[in-house]
């Protein structure tokens, strides 16, 4: 009998993908499921980017690519970092990967030794914890509160640091809470880190452009943090390119070189056609994709308004990304037709079964009281989904 490794046996299945699979299964059985579980824009990749890909096919871009990315793509990334973030990276500090997920996997693989701790403010993006564990690191989950907009305070950071702390990972705008750290809030965290010069910051900024308050702040913008921060970004969300699989980092040179080495033995360079298309995407003005952000903003208002009408949902006001992360603990302990809701997973499954709406349990994001609802869906779908949820909960 085949014996699988402890590594994979101890790994959790991605809850977002699992929920999407379950919703697909029910759809196949003929159920009218509204999917609000997945984290991808419901727009097509803009035509000017698709045209660049078609051009690349016709120009015979078909060979292996440099492991860390085409030099023209690195040029575009360097320009983007300067234009959007006022960050000055050199070519040797950039590594292009097969999605930001691989960028994160590379970082964990090159920095973690067994037992090294990684501070994860909760809620965190679903894969952080398992990527850390896969690399024998120890996730140190720090609970944040809805009252503080799910943001880590300097005091909480300080209290979580131990001699084994190697890194802190967070996303801003945050998946799943939509929280956006201001420059002042990041500075306050950086001030704590001044006392611990060996801790590396991994700043996941993949939702950078989906920001409703304007003004994105990066940890690496502080001169005293630049040499110890890895800035992770990608095109999946801002350009509606989730399937193209391109992510990248700007990092201290030593870390970037190590990621290059690691990737060279595992996947090599990212897809050639996708890279050519991303050159065009990143060289374009962010205003070309502003229409998606505008639409997400309208939907945010819509869903917040509808949810405020349901008793028992407590929600922060997300300032970016395309999720709401309501606290639904009000419903825990309640029973319907013999089915008891004890936690966020039960609640999410209840909604799937009784409202035909797919959401994701907060447990997957390190928060057992909340569920994540994605509003990367049409306004009609959102209205119908929340109506069904309201009915199912009454
Ligand atoms: C916070 C965060 N980081 C990273 C990723 C991975 O993005 P990519 O599609 O580039 O692998 C996601 C995707 O959902 C995300 O939400």
């Amino acid at each position: 009998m085949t014996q699988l490794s402890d590594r994979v046996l101890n790994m959790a299945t991605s809850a977002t993908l699992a929920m999407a699979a379950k919703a697909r299964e029910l759809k196949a059985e003929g159920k009218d499921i509204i999917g609000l579980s997945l984290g991808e824009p419901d727009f097509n990749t803009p035509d000017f980017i698709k045209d660049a890909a078609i051009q690349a096919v016709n120009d015979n871009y078909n060979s292996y690519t440099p492991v860390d990315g085409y030099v023209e793509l690195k040029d575009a990334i360097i320009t983007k970092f300067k234009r959007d973030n006022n960050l000055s990276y050199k070519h040797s500090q950039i590594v292009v990967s097969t999605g930001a997920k691989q960028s994160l996997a590379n970082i964990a693989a090159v920095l973690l030794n067994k037992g090294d701790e990684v501070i994860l403010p909760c809620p965190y993006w679903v894969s952080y914890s398992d990527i850390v564990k896969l690399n024998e690191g120890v996730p140190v989950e720090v609970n944040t509160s809805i009252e503080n907009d799910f943001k880590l305070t300097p005091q909480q950071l300080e209290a979580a640091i131990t001699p084994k702390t190697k890194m802190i990972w967070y996303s801003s705008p945050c998946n799943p809470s939509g929280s956006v750290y201001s420059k002042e809030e990041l500075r306050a965290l950086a001030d704590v880190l001044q006392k611990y010069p060996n801790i590396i910051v991994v700043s996941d900024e993949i939702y950078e452009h989906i920001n409703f308050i304007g003004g994105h702040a990066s940890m690496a913008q502080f001169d005293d943090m630049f040499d110890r921060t890895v800035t992770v970004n990608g095109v999946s969300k801002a350009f509606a390119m989730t399937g193209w699989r391109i992510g990248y980092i700007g990092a201290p040179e030593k870390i970037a070189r190590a990621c290059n080495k690691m990737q060279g033995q595992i996947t090599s360079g990212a897809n050639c056609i996708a890279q050519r298309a991303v050159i065009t995407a990143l060289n374009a003005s962010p205003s070309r994709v502003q229409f998606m952000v505008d639409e997400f903003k309208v939907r945010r208002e819509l869903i917040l308004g509808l949810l405020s009408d349901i008793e028992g949902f407590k929600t922060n006001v997300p300032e970016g990304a395309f999720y709401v992360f309501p606290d639904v603990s009000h419903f825990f302990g309640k029973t319907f037709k013999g089915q008891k809701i004890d936690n966020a997973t039960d609640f999410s499954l209840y909604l799937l079964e009784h409202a035909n709406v797919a959401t994701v349990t907060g447990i997957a994001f390190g928060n057992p009281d909340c569920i994540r609802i994605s509003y990367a869906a049409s306004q009609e779908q959102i209205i119908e989904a929340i109506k069904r949820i309201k009915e199912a909960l009454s």
Side-chain angles (χ1 to χ4, degrees), residues 16 39-40 97-104 124-126 128 170-176 204-207 232-237 241-243 245-248 323 372:
T16 44
E40 61 182 333
S97 298
T98 302
K101 199 177 239 184
Q102 188 183 23
S103 305
L104 290 161
Y124 49 75
W125 180 49
V126 69
Y128 288 175
Y170 66 87
S171 60
S172 177
C174 173
N175 176 3
D204 180 344
E205 303 181 13
I206 195 157
Y207 290 92
V232 179
N233 212 322
V235 293
S236 286
K237 315 292 174 174
M241 296 181 75
T242 49
R245 312 304 305 125
I246 298 291
Y248 55 89
Y323 311 102
R372 190 190 75 175

